[in-house]
Every structure is written in structure tokens, then in C-alpha cells.
Amino acid sequence: MLTTREPAVLVLEDGRTLTGRAYGRRGATVGEAVFSTGMTGYQETLTDPSYHRQVVVMTAPHVGNTGWNDEDDESGRIWVAGYVVRDPALRPSSWRSNRSLEDELDAQGVVGICDLDTRALTRHLRERGAMRVGIFSGEEAALPASELLARVTAAPEMSGASLAAEVATTEAYVVPAVGERRFTVAAVDLGIKSNTPRMMAERGIEVHVLPATATLEEVRSVAPDGVFFSNGPGDPATAQVQAELLQGVLRAGIPYFGICFGNQIFGKALGFGTYKLKYGHRGINQPVMDRTTGKVEVTAHNHGFAVDAPLEGSTSTEHGEVTVSHVCLNDDVVEGLEVRRDERLVAFSVQYHPEAAAGPHDAAYLFDRFTELMESTRTPGPTQGEVA
């Protein structure tokens, strides 16, 4: 484990500067500063492709106590641009740990900073909003403050960023069903997490994971019972190709389920706008109401954009009647959409992460809702399309 703690500095684009100590790889990094409120699951957070080009500030004060293992990664690498913690663990303490968190950060080239007031930093981001930030350690930390700030403000903003293709697979692959194959799903990878196809496979779904650039012909070539769009990074306003693909899926009458970025693209395909949240939702403790059941779920989130759809009433579209099915109880942000034709459910999405590898698991039922939708869609009779 790295133990030397050279000085490090964190510089926000509005000029605010905090000093701390080097953590992980020494050097420099820039990205969008966001904060995550999860107290556990830091390995899943770091390997979530949705965090591409973001510097994650952990609000939990003590990070790294369970080390790093080889089972909990949500993708093949760490995606965060930088990492900010207050008190790093001196040593990991878990029977599952293979090495320390800091050693893994260093091995994967992730520049971080520790020993600073993350509570003050989080309050600043809540008041001013997510913004660009730089972390500088080693020789980089000794550069003039004006030069460091100039490097931060020269970094690209998240608004207008098209990033899904940068994190998605370039080649299609298949995750086989566990046990008997009941359904086939075409999953468009926009930054998919490994637990998502795993949870579908456990329900008898053979998952064909396709690149973010997949066409309607490629989707239909796997003869899917349903289509799934994953989570992913970037501005949904740039996802016009994926929105047009989804419109083709809906016109073809194929059941659809989307999460996170897949919810935003669903909204875009239905004619709604999207907008950037002030500081986003990130963590594993966000309360959401499923308005179709009246139940409140504690859910895992990672999104900085949202769908601009009316919370009340329905909207008529060529694909059916659209309603907001889920809403965040903290701020009334749209957290889910559904489309019905003749009162029958044909497509739905949520803004959060029902696969939630680090928990909570309140929303796992959504995968069952998807299987029920696919089952009812291919079953003739008056109850076609209904979901319990």
C-alpha cells in the first residue's frame, strides 16, 4: 500500500481551492465534480461506466476499509476520472479483499486526493452545482494557481458530451440464460454494468449485448422478445441515433425496458426534452415512489440529467399514452416512464439502477415486470400486455 502522503490540491472551476494529500496515482486529472452519498459499494461505484469523465467525491468519511476484490467490479476497469475521500483506510479488513483500494487506484492510474473536508466540498457543490474540477499532486501541485485553474476551465463540460460509445462494447456478445431459456433480449450497451445481464439471465433470459451504435436491423436479427437500453454516461441530448433506434423498436411493437440513460433516451424518443440537474442524484439511498403500486423504494442512482415530462396526467404520442410512473420523493424529478396502448403496458423505464449490486435491492422486481411484459406480449388473448 502507498503510504507517502505528498501535498495535493483540488481546484474547482469557480476558483475555490482545497488542499489535501495525494491518494492513488500521483499526477493530474480533470473532470466534472460530483458527489456520491453511498456509504458502501465504492468498488461498484468506481467501476460503473456511467462515471466516465467524472471526479467522484465520497460523502462517507471513511473509505477503503473493505479493500478491493476480484468479484465486485461492474465493468472491466475503473471509470472515474478522479477520486476524493476524507479519511482513507489505513489497511483493508475483509476476508474477500485481495489488495487495498489505494493500490488499485494507483495500478489503474486514478489520481485522487484525501485528507480534506469533503463535507465542505459537498455543501459547495450542492449550493453552486456540479462543475469542472482538477486534482493535482506531486510536481503538478507546485504549479502556479492560475495555471491549474486554466487547465480546469479548459476541460470539456458534461453538457453536450457524447460518451456512451467510449465505454460500450465494440463487439456483440451473449450472456446465456441460467437454466431453461425463456426469453431473448437485445440489450443496447450504453455503459452497461455486469450485474444487469446477470440478473436477467437468472430469470431465464438470454441476453445479446449489442454496441451503442447498433441498428434496428442488428437488434431484430437476434429475434428478441424484448429490447433493453442500459445506463451510461454523457448528455442524452446527444443520443439522437439511439432515440431513433428506440422509435423503431416501439413501432415494431417489441417490448422495451430501459434504465438510467435508457430512461432519458426513452423520454427523448417519446418527444420529451431532457435537462441537466444542478448536482444530480448519486448514491444508494434515494427514495422513489412507484406510482403504479404506491410503494416507496430506496434506490441506487447515478445520473446528472433528467427527463422533462409532466408529472400529472398522460401525454398522447404515436407510440401510446405516456405517464410518469416513478418520481423522486426528494425533489420530484421524473424517475420512470411507461407507455400503454389500449391500457396495456408496452414499454417502461426507470431513471435509477434496479440491478444495484451493492444494494439496496428494493427495485429488483422491475426485471420480473420486464419478463411478465414479454410473456404477456407473446400470449394471445384479452389480457395481452397486462402486468401484475
Side-chain angles (χ1 to χ4, degrees):
M1 176 186 293
L2 298 171
T3 56
T4 305
R5 292 273 178 250
E6 303 98 330
V9 61
L10 181 147
V11 181
L12 292 163
E13 71 171 274
D14 64 359
R16 181 164 186 179
T17 300
L18 289 83
T19 58
R21 296 286 176 177
Y23 185 60
R25 179 68 62 88
R26 276 53 171 167
T29 190
V30 294
E32 181 186 48
V34 300
F35 60 87
S36 174
T37 58
M39 295 186 69
T40 61
Y42 59 79
Q43 183 167 337
E44 290 87 346
T45 294
L46 288 165
T47 55
D48 179 353
S50 296
Y51 280 113
H52 180 39
R53 264 183 39 187
Q54 292 180 320
V55 174
V56 175
V57 180
M58 298 297 290
T59 61
H62 192 57
V63 178
N65 56 305
T66 56
W68 193 276
N69 62 59
D70 294 323
E71 294 80 42
D72 292 345
D73 288 359
E74 284 296 328
S75 66
R77 53 165 284 193
I78 293 176
W79 283 102
V80 304
Y83 205 44
V84 184
V85 303
R86 194 183 82 177
D87 297 322
L90 295 177
R91 63 188 61 83
S93 179
S94 170
W95 65 272
R96 299 179 66 230
S97 175
N98 298 109
R99 51 202 168 277
S100 74
L101 168 59
E102 183 166 18
D103 284 345
E104 190 66 20
L105 292 171
D106 182 53
Q108 296 201 35
V110 179
V111 176
I113 187 172
C114 66
D115 295 343
L116 52 67
D117 190 345
T118 51
R119 183 175 184 181
L121 177 56
T122 299
R123 287 174 63 89
H124 188 77
L125 294 175
R126 279 182 60 91
E127 292 168 0
R128 305 291 181 88
M131 65 183 78
R132 290 167 293 180
V133 66
I135 301 174
F136 307 93
S137 59
E139 295 180 357
E140 301 278 356
L143 295 173
S146 58
E147 181 176 336
L148 299 182
L149 180 58
R151 290 169 67 175
V152 171
T153 56
E157 296 183 356
M158 192 58 68
S159 294
S162 179
L163 303 177
E166 296 181 13
V167 303
T169 184
T170 57
E171 299 290 337
Y173 62 93
V174 177
V175 178
V178 176
E180 178 186 359
R181 185 184 69 180
R182 299 175 56 212
F183 306 100
T184 300
V185 164
V188 178
D189 180 3
L190 307 166
I192 199 167
K193 296 163 71 176
S194 60
N195 203 44
T196 301
R198 182 184 304 126
M199 291 190 72
M200 285 195 272
E202 290 172 351
R203 290 161 171 79
I205 299 173
E206 180 179 276
V207 186
H208 292 250
V209 182
L210 306 178
T213 54
T215 64
L216 182 59
E217 291 72 23
E218 290 170 331
V219 168
R220 301 193 74 165
S221 69
V222 304
D225 297 297
V227 171
F228 173 84
F229 277 25
S230 79
N231 59 290
D235 186 343
T238 66
Q240 185 61 33
V241 170
Q242 289 79 16
E244 291 174 357
L245 166 61
L246 183 48
Q247 288 175 334
V249 168
L250 297 174
R251 292 187 185 111
I254 306 172
Y256 171 74
F257 175 33
I259 67 171
C260 203
F261 205 45
N263 177 69
Q264 295 160 13
I265 294 173
F266 190 33
K268 186 177 175 67
L270 294 171
F272 299 117
T274 58
Y275 64 98
K276 196 174 192 304
L277 295 168
K278 183 176 181 180
Y279 49 80
H281 299 165
R282 296 173 180 88
I284 56 177
N285 55 358
Q286 305 285 329
V288 168
M289 174 175 283
D290 182 345
R291 297 166 118 189
T292 68
T293 64
K295 293 182 179 179
V296 176
E297 311 158 18
V298 178
T299 59
H301 286 224
N302 175 15
H303 65 106
F305 294 85
V307 176
D308 186 12
L311 294 180
E312 303 302 331
S314 63
T315 302
S316 297
T317 72
E318 68 165 291
H319 307 294
E321 293 294 309
V322 185
T323 56
V324 173
S325 58
H326 295 72
V327 64
C328 182
L329 297 181
N330 284 336
D331 53 13
D332 288 336
V333 166
V334 172
E335 294 291 343
L337 300 166
E338 67 174 26
V339 174
R340 291 180 180 269
R341 296 186 193 131
D342 300 324
E343 299 186 354
R344 297 188 301 243
L345 182 67
V346 296
F348 70 101
S349 63
V350 292
Q351 184 58 66
Y352 49 94
H353 289 255
E355 85 290 338
H361 301 134
D362 298 26
Y365 71 92
L366 290 166
F367 291 102
D368 297 319
R369 183 175 290 181
F370 189 33
T371 61
E372 292 164 3
L373 173 57
M374 290 187 288
E375 179 66 39
S376 62
T377 300
R378 69 184 187 187
T379 301
T383 59
Q384 181 178 9
E386 293 183 356
V387 175

